[in-house]
Amino acid sequence: MSYTNNLMETLICLFTIKNGIFQILLLRKKSDPYKGYWILPGNILLDNETLEQNVEGITQTKIGLKTIYKKQCYTFSNINRYPNKRVLAVAYIGLIDSSSILLKMQEIPGIEKKWFNINELPKLGYDHEIIVKKCIERLQYLMREPDIFIKLFPSDFTLPELQKVYEQILNKKLDRRNFRKKIINLNLIEDTGYKNEIGNGRPAKLYRFKETFIKQLN
Amino acid sequence: MSYTNNLMETLICLFTIKNGIFQILLLRKKSDPYKGYWILPGNILLDNETLEQNVEGITQTKIGLKTIYKKQCYTFSNINRYPNKRVLAVAYIGLIDSSSILLKMQEIPGIEKKWFNINELPKLGYDHEIIVKKCIERLQYLMREPDIFIKLFPSDFTLPELQKVYEQILNKKLDRRNFRKKIINLNLIEDTGYKNEIGNGRPAKLYRFKETFIKQLN
DNA sequence: AATGAAAAGTGTATTTTTGACAAAATCACT
DNA sequence: AGTGATTTTGTCAAAAATACACTTTTCATT
Protein backbone atom coordinates (compact mmCIF):
# COMPACT_ATOMS: atom_id res chain seq x y z
CA MET A 1 0.00 0.00 0.00
CA SER A 2 1.38 3.35 -0.94
CA TYR A 3 0.21 6.88 -1.00
CA THR A 4 2.40 8.57 -3.53
CA ASN A 5 0.29 8.34 -6.62
CA ASN A 6 -2.84 10.17 -5.69
CA LEU A 7 -3.03 12.58 -8.53
CA MET A 8 -5.68 15.19 -8.23
CA GLU A 9 -7.58 16.98 -10.91
CA THR A 10 -10.13 19.70 -10.89
CA LEU A 11 -13.06 19.63 -13.24
CA ILE A 12 -15.46 22.39 -13.99
CA CYS A 13 -19.09 22.17 -14.99
CA LEU A 14 -19.48 25.51 -16.64
CA PHE A 15 -23.13 26.34 -17.19
CA THR A 16 -24.75 29.11 -19.14
CA ILE A 17 -28.00 30.08 -20.76
CA LYS A 18 -27.65 30.56 -24.48
CA ASN A 19 -30.69 31.57 -26.46
CA GLY A 20 -32.76 30.55 -23.52
CA ILE A 21 -31.30 27.06 -23.35
CA PHE A 22 -29.46 25.66 -20.36
CA GLN A 23 -26.07 24.55 -21.59
CA ILE A 24 -22.78 23.14 -20.43
CA LEU A 25 -19.33 23.53 -21.92
CA LEU A 26 -17.47 20.40 -22.95
CA LEU A 27 -14.11 19.81 -24.58
CA ARG A 28 -13.20 17.24 -27.18
CA LYS A 29 -10.63 14.75 -25.98
CA LYS A 30 -7.80 14.66 -28.53
CA SER A 31 -5.88 11.64 -27.31
CA ASP A 32 -6.41 8.33 -25.66
CA PRO A 33 -7.99 7.37 -23.39
CA TYR A 34 -11.46 8.47 -24.44
CA LYS A 35 -10.11 9.96 -27.65
CA GLY A 36 -12.91 11.70 -29.48
CA TYR A 37 -15.18 11.78 -26.46
CA TRP A 38 -16.47 14.97 -24.92
CA ILE A 39 -15.31 15.69 -21.40
CA LEU A 40 -15.42 18.37 -18.75
CA PRO A 41 -12.64 20.93 -18.81
CA GLY A 42 -10.10 19.90 -16.23
CA ASN A 43 -6.57 20.18 -15.02
CA ILE A 44 -4.15 18.18 -12.98
CA LEU A 45 -3.44 19.97 -9.73
CA LEU A 46 0.11 21.19 -9.29
CA ASP A 47 2.03 21.25 -6.04
CA ASN A 48 2.11 24.96 -5.78
CA GLU A 49 -1.48 25.96 -6.38
CA THR A 50 -4.78 25.73 -4.59
CA LEU A 51 -7.81 24.11 -6.13
CA GLU A 52 -9.29 27.51 -6.79
CA GLN A 53 -6.15 28.69 -8.57
CA ASN A 54 -6.17 25.54 -10.61
CA VAL A 55 -9.76 26.02 -11.67
CA GLU A 56 -8.91 29.58 -12.54
CA GLY A 57 -6.17 28.14 -14.73
CA ILE A 58 -8.64 25.94 -16.55
CA THR A 59 -10.93 28.78 -17.37
CA GLN A 60 -8.08 30.87 -18.66
CA THR A 61 -5.97 28.37 -20.57
CA LYS A 62 -8.51 25.82 -21.70
CA ILE A 63 -11.68 27.81 -21.96
CA GLY A 64 -10.34 31.25 -22.66
CA LEU A 65 -12.21 33.17 -20.01
CA LYS A 66 -11.30 35.45 -17.18
CA THR A 67 -12.68 35.02 -13.71
CA ILE A 68 -16.10 33.51 -13.49
CA TYR A 69 -18.39 32.67 -10.64
CA LYS A 70 -17.55 29.27 -9.25
CA LYS A 71 -18.33 27.07 -6.32
CA GLN A 72 -16.82 23.83 -5.13
CA CYS A 73 -19.24 20.95 -5.48
CA TYR A 74 -17.85 17.54 -4.60
CA THR A 75 -14.74 15.37 -4.60
CA PHE A 76 -14.84 12.06 -6.44
CA SER A 77 -12.56 9.21 -5.53
CA ASN A 78 -13.63 6.00 -7.16
CA ILE A 79 -10.55 3.88 -7.68
CA ASN A 80 -11.21 3.19 -11.31
CA ARG A 81 -12.61 6.49 -12.41
CA TYR A 82 -9.43 7.05 -14.39
CA PRO A 83 -7.74 4.29 -16.37
CA ASN A 84 -4.28 3.09 -15.33
CA LYS A 85 -3.80 5.80 -12.75
CA ARG A 86 -5.43 6.85 -9.54
CA VAL A 87 -6.79 10.34 -10.00
CA LEU A 88 -9.20 12.08 -7.70
CA ALA A 89 -11.39 14.83 -9.03
CA VAL A 90 -12.70 17.92 -7.34
CA ALA A 91 -15.67 19.22 -9.26
CA TYR A 92 -16.57 22.87 -9.41
CA ILE A 93 -19.69 24.54 -10.67
CA GLY A 94 -19.15 27.57 -12.86
CA LEU A 95 -21.75 30.05 -14.03
CA ILE A 96 -21.42 32.58 -16.79
CA ASP A 97 -23.82 34.72 -18.76
CA SER A 98 -23.94 34.37 -22.49
CA SER A 99 -23.00 37.94 -23.30
CA SER A 100 -19.77 37.53 -21.33
CA ILE A 101 -19.11 34.46 -23.39
CA LEU A 102 -19.50 36.36 -26.63
CA LEU A 103 -17.38 39.24 -25.47
CA LYS A 104 -14.71 37.48 -23.53
CA MET A 105 -14.31 33.86 -24.50
CA GLN A 106 -11.31 33.33 -26.71
CA GLU A 107 -10.42 30.44 -28.93
CA ILE A 108 -7.53 28.37 -27.66
CA PRO A 109 -5.44 26.71 -30.37
CA GLY A 110 -5.72 22.95 -30.30
CA ILE A 111 -8.79 22.89 -28.10
CA GLU A 112 -12.18 22.04 -29.50
CA LYS A 113 -14.92 23.24 -27.23
CA LYS A 114 -18.65 23.25 -27.56
CA TRP A 115 -21.75 24.20 -25.63
CA PHE A 116 -24.23 21.37 -25.28
CA ASN A 117 -27.86 21.53 -24.33
CA ILE A 118 -28.16 19.84 -21.02
CA ASN A 119 -30.77 17.49 -22.41
CA GLU A 120 -28.70 16.55 -25.42
CA LEU A 121 -25.42 15.54 -23.90
CA PRO A 122 -23.17 13.27 -25.91
CA LYS A 123 -21.58 10.24 -24.34
CA LEU A 124 -18.99 11.59 -21.92
CA GLY A 125 -15.54 10.25 -21.15
CA TYR A 126 -14.44 9.01 -17.74
CA ASP A 127 -17.07 9.32 -15.03
CA HIS A 128 -18.01 12.78 -16.15
CA GLU A 129 -21.65 11.97 -16.61
CA ILE A 130 -21.97 11.23 -12.91
CA ILE A 131 -20.11 14.40 -12.10
CA VAL A 132 -22.34 16.53 -14.29
CA LYS A 133 -25.35 15.02 -12.58
CA LYS A 134 -24.03 15.86 -9.15
CA CYS A 135 -23.23 19.41 -10.19
CA ILE A 136 -26.71 19.92 -11.57
CA GLU A 137 -28.16 18.72 -8.30
CA ARG A 138 -26.04 21.18 -6.43
CA LEU A 139 -26.94 23.93 -8.85
CA GLN A 140 -30.60 23.23 -8.21
CA TYR A 141 -29.89 23.87 -4.60
CA LEU A 142 -27.96 27.05 -5.38
CA MET A 143 -30.93 28.36 -7.33
CA ARG A 144 -32.76 28.75 -4.04
CA GLU A 145 -30.62 31.75 -3.32
CA PRO A 146 -32.83 34.48 -4.68
CA ASP A 147 -30.15 36.53 -6.39
CA ILE A 148 -28.11 33.77 -7.99
CA PHE A 149 -29.58 34.43 -11.43
CA ILE A 150 -27.51 37.56 -11.79
CA LYS A 151 -24.66 35.21 -12.67
CA LEU A 152 -26.61 34.02 -15.66
CA PHE A 153 -28.42 37.24 -16.57
CA PRO A 154 -26.48 40.24 -15.31
CA SER A 155 -27.90 42.56 -17.92
CA ASP A 156 -31.34 43.06 -19.39
CA PHE A 157 -33.67 40.14 -19.38
CA THR A 158 -37.34 39.37 -19.55
CA LEU A 159 -39.29 37.48 -16.96
CA PRO A 160 -40.41 34.76 -19.37
CA GLU A 161 -36.75 34.18 -20.25
CA LEU A 162 -35.87 33.96 -16.61
CA GLN A 163 -38.70 31.61 -15.90
CA LYS A 164 -37.59 29.26 -18.63
CA VAL A 165 -34.15 29.18 -17.07
CA TYR A 166 -35.50 28.21 -13.71
CA GLU A 167 -37.74 25.65 -15.30
CA GLN A 168 -34.85 24.04 -17.11
CA ILE A 169 -32.50 23.98 -14.17
CA LEU A 170 -35.09 22.85 -11.67
CA ASN A 171 -36.55 20.57 -14.31
CA LYS A 172 -40.18 21.40 -13.60
CA LYS A 173 -42.94 23.74 -14.74
CA LEU A 174 -43.56 26.90 -12.76
CA ASP A 175 -46.70 28.98 -12.62
CA ARG A 176 -46.20 32.22 -14.54
CA ARG A 177 -48.03 34.49 -12.14
CA ASN A 178 -46.45 33.06 -9.05
CA PHE A 179 -42.98 33.12 -10.51
CA ARG A 180 -43.38 36.70 -11.57
CA LYS A 181 -44.71 37.69 -8.18
CA LYS A 182 -41.79 36.06 -6.42
CA ILE A 183 -39.11 37.63 -8.57
CA ILE A 184 -40.61 41.09 -8.46
CA ASN A 185 -41.08 40.91 -4.71
CA LEU A 186 -37.35 40.35 -4.32
CA ASN A 187 -37.09 44.00 -5.14
CA LEU A 188 -33.80 43.48 -6.92
CA ILE A 189 -34.85 44.32 -10.44
CA GLU A 190 -36.56 47.18 -12.21
CA ASP A 191 -38.35 47.78 -15.48
CA THR A 192 -36.07 49.32 -18.08
CA GLY A 193 -38.99 50.76 -20.00
CA TYR A 194 -37.89 48.85 -23.06
CA LYS A 195 -39.33 45.74 -24.56
CA ASN A 196 -37.97 42.66 -26.14
CA GLU A 197 -38.90 43.11 -29.79
CA ILE A 198 -37.94 39.65 -30.92
CA GLY A 199 -40.42 36.86 -31.34
CA ASN A 200 -43.93 36.15 -32.20
CA GLY A 201 -46.44 37.36 -29.68
CA ARG A 202 -46.62 40.27 -27.35
CA PRO A 203 -43.16 41.61 -26.55
CA ALA A 204 -41.94 41.12 -23.01
CA LYS A 205 -40.73 43.90 -20.78
CA LEU A 206 -37.01 44.13 -20.25
CA TYR A 207 -35.80 44.23 -16.67
CA ARG A 208 -32.42 44.96 -15.15
CA PHE A 209 -30.88 44.66 -11.73
CA LYS A 210 -31.10 47.76 -9.63
CA GLU A 211 -27.93 49.79 -9.23
CA THR A 212 -28.18 49.59 -5.48
CA PHE A 213 -28.20 45.82 -5.61
CA ILE A 214 -25.27 45.54 -7.98
CA LYS A 215 -23.20 47.86 -5.81
CA GLN A 216 -23.79 45.80 -2.73
CA LEU A 217 -22.46 42.73 -4.53
CA ASN A 218 -18.98 44.19 -4.56
CA MET B 1 6.30 22.52 -11.29
CA SER B 2 5.41 18.99 -10.46
CA TYR B 3 2.37 17.11 -9.50
CA THR B 4 3.63 14.09 -7.69
CA ASN B 5 3.44 15.19 -4.13
CA ASN B 6 -0.19 15.96 -3.63
CA LEU B 7 -0.89 13.90 -0.61
CA MET B 8 -4.45 13.69 0.39
CA GLU B 9 -5.96 13.20 3.78
CA THR B 10 -9.45 12.81 5.03
CA LEU B 11 -10.57 14.40 8.24
CA ILE B 12 -13.72 13.78 10.14
CA CYS B 13 -15.68 16.14 12.31
CA LEU B 14 -17.54 13.66 14.42
CA PHE B 15 -20.36 15.31 16.30
CA THR B 16 -22.57 14.00 19.02
CA ILE B 17 -24.86 15.13 21.80
CA LYS B 18 -23.64 14.00 25.20
CA ASN B 19 -25.71 14.93 28.21
CA GLY B 20 -27.47 17.44 26.06
CA ILE B 21 -24.28 19.14 24.95
CA PHE B 22 -23.14 19.44 21.36
CA GLN B 23 -19.69 17.93 21.18
CA ILE B 24 -16.95 17.04 18.76
CA LEU B 25 -14.32 14.33 18.99
CA LEU B 26 -10.66 15.34 18.89
CA LEU B 27 -7.46 13.40 19.15
CA ARG B 28 -4.27 14.38 20.90
CA LYS B 29 -1.33 14.77 18.55
CA LYS B 30 1.55 12.68 19.90
CA SER B 31 4.37 13.88 17.69
CA ASP B 32 5.57 16.97 15.93
CA PRO B 33 4.33 19.02 14.26
CA TYR B 34 1.62 20.26 16.58
CA LYS B 35 2.69 17.83 19.28
CA GLY B 36 0.31 18.06 22.19
CA TYR B 37 -2.35 19.89 20.19
CA TRP B 38 -5.81 18.52 19.66
CA ILE B 39 -6.72 17.72 16.07
CA LEU B 40 -9.44 16.14 14.00
CA PRO B 41 -9.18 12.41 13.41
CA GLY B 42 -7.68 11.91 9.99
CA ASN B 43 -5.91 9.59 7.68
CA ILE B 44 -3.69 9.81 4.67
CA LEU B 45 -5.49 8.46 1.63
CA LEU B 46 -4.02 5.32 0.15
CA ASP B 47 -3.88 4.46 -3.53
CA ASN B 48 -6.33 1.65 -3.30
CA GLU B 49 -9.19 3.12 -1.34
CA THR B 50 -11.90 5.66 -1.87
CA LEU B 51 -12.38 8.62 0.40
CA GLU B 52 -15.35 6.93 1.99
CA GLN B 53 -13.36 3.79 2.68
CA ASN B 54 -10.62 5.88 4.15
CA VAL B 55 -13.01 7.70 6.47
CA GLU B 56 -14.41 4.35 7.45
CA GLY B 57 -10.85 3.38 8.31
CA ILE B 58 -10.47 6.38 10.58
CA THR B 59 -13.58 5.60 12.52
CA GLN B 60 -12.53 2.00 12.98
CA THR B 61 -8.82 2.27 13.68
CA LYS B 62 -8.52 5.66 15.30
CA ILE B 63 -11.87 6.17 16.92
CA GLY B 64 -12.92 2.62 17.55
CA LEU B 65 -16.36 2.74 16.00
CA LYS B 66 -18.18 0.82 13.34
CA THR B 67 -20.06 2.51 10.55
CA ILE B 68 -21.49 5.89 11.35
CA TYR B 69 -23.49 8.39 9.41
CA LYS B 70 -21.21 10.60 7.38
CA LYS B 71 -21.36 13.16 4.65
CA GLN B 72 -18.67 14.78 2.58
CA CYS B 73 -18.34 18.46 3.37
CA TYR B 74 -15.51 20.26 1.61
CA THR B 75 -12.00 19.89 0.23
CA PHE B 76 -9.29 22.20 1.53
CA SER B 77 -6.23 22.98 -0.50
CA ASN B 78 -4.30 25.87 0.97
CA ILE B 79 -0.67 25.40 0.07
CA ASN B 80 0.60 25.85 3.58
CA ARG B 81 -2.09 24.13 5.53
CA TYR B 82 0.40 21.39 6.34
CA PRO B 83 4.02 22.09 7.20
CA ASN B 84 6.76 20.92 4.85
CA LYS B 85 4.45 18.92 2.67
CA ARG B 86 1.55 19.63 0.42
CA VAL B 87 -1.46 17.80 1.79
CA LEU B 88 -5.03 18.36 0.74
CA ALA B 89 -7.83 17.53 3.10
CA VAL B 90 -11.30 16.26 2.41
CA ALA B 91 -13.48 16.96 5.40
CA TYR B 92 -16.38 14.75 6.35
CA ILE B 93 -19.14 15.34 8.83
CA GLY B 94 -19.96 12.41 11.05
CA LEU B 95 -22.91 12.06 13.37
CA ILE B 96 -23.37 9.56 16.14
CA ASP B 97 -25.70 9.21 19.09
CA SER B 98 -24.28 9.04 22.53
CA SER B 99 -25.67 5.64 23.41
CA SER B 100 -23.88 4.14 20.41
CA ILE B 101 -20.73 5.74 21.70
CA LEU B 102 -21.10 4.12 25.08
CA LEU B 103 -21.93 0.74 23.61
CA LYS B 104 -19.63 0.62 20.68
CA MET B 105 -16.68 2.95 20.96
CA GLN B 106 -13.53 1.12 21.90
CA GLU B 107 -10.29 2.43 23.26
CA ILE B 108 -7.41 2.31 20.81
CA PRO B 109 -4.00 1.82 22.36
CA GLY B 110 -1.79 4.84 21.91
CA ILE B 111 -4.59 7.18 20.95
CA GLU B 112 -5.87 9.80 23.31
CA LYS B 113 -9.30 10.97 22.33
CA LYS B 114 -11.72 13.31 23.96
CA TRP B 115 -15.11 14.86 23.38
CA PHE B 116 -15.11 18.65 23.54
CA ASN B 117 -18.01 20.97 23.96
CA ILE B 118 -18.27 22.90 20.77
CA ASN B 119 -18.05 26.17 22.66
CA GLU B 120 -14.99 25.13 24.60
CA LEU B 121 -12.63 23.99 21.92
CA PRO B 122 -8.93 23.99 22.67
CA LYS B 123 -6.45 25.46 20.24
CA LEU B 124 -6.41 23.11 17.28
CA GLY B 125 -3.47 22.01 15.20
CA TYR B 126 -3.09 22.69 11.48
CA ASP B 127 -6.03 24.52 9.93
CA HIS B 128 -8.51 22.37 11.75
CA GLU B 129 -10.29 25.25 13.34
CA ILE B 130 -11.32 26.52 9.92
CA ILE B 131 -12.38 23.04 8.95
CA VAL B 132 -14.50 22.58 12.04
CA LYS B 133 -16.16 25.89 11.32
CA LYS B 134 -17.02 24.88 7.79
CA CYS B 135 -18.39 21.54 8.93
CA ILE B 136 -20.62 23.20 11.49
CA GLU B 137 -21.95 25.50 8.82
CA ARG B 138 -22.75 22.53 6.65
CA LEU B 139 -24.29 20.72 9.57
CA GLN B 140 -26.54 23.68 10.18
CA TYR B 141 -27.73 23.26 6.65
CA LEU B 142 -28.19 19.52 7.11
CA MET B 143 -30.39 20.16 10.12
CA ARG B 144 -33.01 21.50 7.75
CA GLU B 145 -33.70 17.96 6.70
CA PRO B 146 -36.51 17.14 9.04
CA ASP B 147 -35.43 13.64 9.96
CA ILE B 148 -31.72 14.18 10.45
CA PHE B 149 -31.98 14.16 14.21
CA ILE B 150 -32.48 10.43 14.23
CA LYS B 151 -28.71 10.23 13.78
CA LEU B 152 -28.24 11.95 17.09
CA PHE B 153 -31.26 10.59 18.97
CA PRO B 154 -32.32 7.27 17.50
CA SER B 155 -33.91 6.09 20.71
CA ASP B 156 -36.14 7.71 23.29
CA PHE B 157 -35.82 11.42 23.75
CA THR B 158 -37.79 14.35 25.03
CA LEU B 159 -38.74 17.40 23.06
CA PRO B 160 -36.91 19.83 25.36
CA GLU B 161 -33.73 17.77 24.86
CA LEU B 162 -34.22 17.86 21.16
CA GLN B 163 -34.86 21.56 21.15
CA LYS B 164 -31.63 22.21 23.05
CA VAL B 165 -29.77 20.26 20.40
CA TYR B 166 -31.21 22.34 17.62
CA GLU B 167 -30.51 25.50 19.53
CA GLN B 168 -26.88 24.58 20.04
CA ILE B 169 -26.26 23.51 16.47
CA LEU B 170 -28.13 26.39 14.91
CA ASN B 171 -26.75 28.67 17.58
CA LYS B 172 -29.98 30.50 18.27
CA LYS B 173 -32.97 30.37 20.55
CA LEU B 174 -36.13 28.71 19.31
CA ASP B 175 -39.67 29.22 20.49
CA ARG B 176 -40.78 26.20 22.50
CA ARG B 177 -44.31 26.01 21.22
CA ASN B 178 -43.37 26.49 17.62
CA PHE B 179 -40.55 23.98 17.78
CA ARG B 180 -42.80 21.40 19.34
CA LYS B 181 -45.48 22.00 16.77
CA LYS B 182 -43.02 21.57 13.93
CA ILE B 183 -41.49 18.36 15.20
CA ILE B 184 -44.81 16.76 16.03
CA ASN B 185 -46.27 17.71 12.67
CA LEU B 186 -43.50 15.78 10.96
CA ASN B 187 -45.42 12.74 12.07
CA LEU B 188 -42.25 10.76 12.54
CA ILE B 189 -42.33 10.31 16.27
CA GLU B 190 -44.79 9.02 18.84
CA ASP B 191 -45.33 9.28 22.56
CA THR B 192 -43.92 6.28 24.42
CA GLY B 193 -46.25 6.84 27.35
CA TYR B 194 -43.24 7.13 29.63
CA LYS B 195 -41.72 10.18 31.14
CA ASN B 196 -38.26 11.38 31.81
CA GLU B 197 -37.97 11.12 35.57
CA ILE B 198 -34.69 12.93 35.88
CA GLY B 199 -34.46 16.56 36.75
CA ASN B 200 -36.12 19.20 38.69
CA GLY B 201 -39.46 20.32 37.35
CA ARG B 202 -42.27 18.63 35.54
CA PRO B 203 -41.03 15.47 33.80
CA ALA B 204 -40.98 15.56 30.03
CA LYS B 205 -42.68 12.99 27.85
CA LEU B 206 -40.46 10.48 26.14
CA TYR B 207 -40.87 10.11 22.41
CA ARG B 208 -39.54 7.59 19.94
CA PHE B 209 -39.42 7.30 16.18
CA LYS B 210 -42.29 5.40 14.67
CA GLU B 211 -41.57 1.89 13.46
CA THR B 212 -42.86 2.72 10.02
CA PHE B 213 -40.37 5.54 9.68
CA ILE B 214 -37.40 3.53 10.88
CA LYS B 215 -38.23 0.76 8.44
CA GLN B 216 -38.32 3.10 5.51
CA LEU B 217 -34.81 4.30 6.35
CA ASN B 218 -33.35 0.93 5.40
C1' DA C 1 -59.54 46.88 -41.55
C1' DA C 2 -60.53 42.52 -39.61
C1' DT C 3 -59.17 38.18 -37.83
C1' DG C 4 -56.44 34.86 -35.66
C1' DA C 5 -52.31 33.19 -33.50
C1' DA C 6 -48.82 33.71 -30.13
C1' DA C 7 -47.02 35.11 -26.20
C1' DA C 8 -47.05 38.44 -22.14
C1' DG C 9 -49.39 40.36 -18.62
C1' DT C 10 -52.41 40.56 -14.59
C1' DG C 11 -55.47 39.52 -9.51
C1' DT C 12 -57.70 36.95 -6.13
C1' DA C 13 -58.86 33.45 -3.06
C1' DT C 14 -57.06 29.37 -0.45
C1' DT C 15 -53.85 26.96 1.93
C1' DT C 16 -49.67 26.44 4.31
C1' DT C 17 -46.01 28.00 6.96
C1' DT C 18 -43.97 30.90 10.19
C1' DG C 19 -43.82 33.82 14.16
C1' DA C 20 -45.31 35.91 18.33
C1' DC C 21 -47.05 35.31 22.66
C1' DA C 22 -48.90 33.56 28.26
C1' DA C 23 -51.16 30.51 31.25
C1' DA C 24 -51.88 25.96 33.29
C1' DA C 25 -50.07 21.34 34.72
C1' DT C 26 -46.72 18.25 36.90
C1' DC C 27 -43.29 16.96 39.90
C1' DA C 28 -39.83 17.49 43.99
C1' DC C 29 -38.91 19.51 47.98
C1' DT C 30 -39.83 21.81 52.20
C1' DA D 1 -50.02 23.43 51.49
C1' DG D 2 -46.78 26.30 49.27
C1' DT D 3 -42.70 27.25 46.39
C1' DG D 4 -39.63 26.52 42.60
C1' DA D 5 -38.48 24.45 38.44
C1' DT D 6 -39.76 22.67 34.22
C1' DT D 7 -43.05 20.86 30.70
C1' DT D 8 -47.06 21.27 28.23
C1' DT D 9 -50.55 23.44 25.52
C1' DG D 10 -53.49 26.96 21.77
C1' DT D 11 -54.64 30.97 19.27
C1' DC D 12 -54.14 34.73 16.41
C1' DA D 13 -51.69 37.36 12.82
C1' DA D 14 -48.52 37.79 9.15
C1' DA D 15 -46.10 36.00 5.44
C1' DA D 16 -45.29 32.75 1.89
C1' DA D 17 -46.81 29.26 -1.32
C1' DT D 18 -50.22 27.53 -4.36
C1' DA D 19 -54.02 27.26 -7.57
C1' DC D 20 -56.32 29.17 -11.14
C1' DA D 21 -58.33 32.04 -16.22
C1' DC D 22 -58.97 35.93 -18.69
C1' DT D 23 -57.21 40.19 -21.03
C1' DT D 24 -53.68 42.72 -23.60
C1' DT D 25 -50.27 43.40 -26.97
C1' DT D 26 -48.03 42.47 -30.98
C1' DC D 27 -47.39 40.22 -35.54
C1' DA D 28 -49.03 37.83 -39.62
C1' DT D 29 -52.59 36.70 -42.61
C1' DT D 30 -56.60 37.64 -45.10
Side-chain angles (χ1 to χ4, degrees), chain A residues 18-191:
Chain A
K18 258 184 141 173
N19 305 321
I21 310 290
F22 182 35
Q23 301 192 320
I24 184 171
L25 186 72
L26 298 175
L27 305 187
R28 174 84 82 179
K29 190 80 167 32
K30 296 286 186 187
S31 57
D32 275 322
Y34 295 105
K35 183 173 179 177
Y37 281 66
W38 292 93
I39 58 168
L40 293 169
N43 234 346
I44 293 292
L45 182 70
L46 304 180
D47 285 353
N48 59 346
E49 61 181 0
T50 64
L51 290 166
E52 288 70 28
Q53 289 165 344
N54 183 268
V55 174
E56 196 59 36
I58 300 174
T59 59
Q60 298 209 9
T61 65
K62 296 205 175 171
I63 304 181
L65 279 170
K66 295 279 174 195
T67 313
I68 55 170
Y69 173 83
K70 50 187 178 291
K71 203 135 200 169
Q72 187 184 306
C73 174
Y74 199 79
T75 300
F76 296 83
S77 66
N78 273 355
I79 305 287
N80 300 314
R81 58 172 298 279
Y82 214 93
N84 303 324
K85 267 189 287 194
R86 207 297 165 77
V87 182
L88 292 105
V90 184
Y92 277 77
I93 290 168
L95 297 182
I96 190 171
D97 66 287
S98 58
S99 61
S100 292
I101 294 172
L102 289 174
L103 288 173
K104 300 180 192 159
M105 190 159 94
Q106 301 176 326
E107 285 306 311
I108 311 280
I111 292 189
E112 182 184 352
K113 62 193 172 199
K114 188 172 165 189
W115 292 96
F116 286 86
N117 295 355
I118 213 70
N119 292 321
E120 300 169 4
L121 289 189
K123 197 165 170 56
L124 302 188
Y126 304 102
D127 57 349
H128 289 193
E129 194 171 322
I130 294 169
I131 294 176
V132 169
K133 208 169 166 188
K134 186 97 178 180
C135 284
I136 291 176
E137 273 171 27
R138 180 67 63 93
L139 179 59
Q140 289 174 337
Y141 164 69
L142 291 178
M143 293 303 279
R144 291 196 216 168
E145 291 180 40
D147 52 358
I148 185 75
F149 64 93
I150 195 174
K151 310 299 178 187
L152 294 166
F153 277 118
S155 57
D156 297 4
F157 53 87
T158 69
L159 290 182
E161 274 176 345
L162 195 57
Q163 182 175 345
K164 274 169 206 144
V165 171
Y166 273 82
E167 288 180 337
Q168 285 179 83
I169 297 179
L170 301 179
N171 200 26
K172 64 176 178 187
K173 280 276 167 204
L174 301 175
D175 178 84
R176 200 158 53 204
R177 279 166 289 192
N178 295 336
F179 178 79
R180 177 175 283 271
K181 202 188 310 174
K182 194 185 236 167
I183 297 291
I184 289 174
N185 283 343
L186 294 176
N187 225 5
L188 301 177
I189 66 173
E190 61 190 3
D191 194 337

Side-chain angles (χ1 to χ4, degrees), chain B residues 176-177 180 201-202 204-205:
Chain B
R176 206 157 46 200
R177 280 166 288 194
R180 177 175 283 270
R202 174 175 177 176
K205 289 185 189 172

Side-chain angles (χ1 to χ4, degrees), chain B residues 13-109:
Chain B
C13 286
L14 181 57
F15 298 109
T16 197
I17 305 293
K18 259 184 141 175
N19 305 323
I21 310 290
F22 182 35
Q23 302 192 320
I24 184 171
L25 186 72
L26 299 175
L27 305 187
R28 175 85 81 178
K29 189 83 164 37
K30 296 285 184 184
S31 58
D32 275 323
Y34 296 105
K35 184 173 177 176
Y37 282 66
W38 293 94
I39 58 168
L40 293 169
N43 234 345
I44 293 292
L45 182 71
L46 304 181
D47 284 354
N48 59 345
E49 60 182 0
T50 64
L51 291 166
E52 288 71 27
Q53 289 165 343
N54 183 269
V55 174
E56 196 61 36
I58 300 174
T59 58
Q60 299 209 8
T61 66
K62 296 203 176 172
I63 304 182
L65 280 170
K66 295 280 173 192
T67 314
I68 54 170
Y69 174 83
K70 50 186 180 290
K71 204 135 196 166
Q72 187 184 306
C73 172
Y74 198 79
T75 300
F76 296 84
S77 66
N78 274 355
I79 304 287
N80 301 316
R81 59 172 298 278
Y82 213 95
N84 303 324
K85 269 189 285 193
R86 205 301 166 75
V87 183
L88 293 105
V90 184
Y92 277 77
I93 290 168
L95 298 181
I96 190 170
D97 66 287
S98 56
S99 60
S100 291
I101 294 173
L102 289 175
L103 289 173
K104 300 180 191 158
M105 190 158 94
Q106 302 176 324
E107 285 306 311
I108 311 279

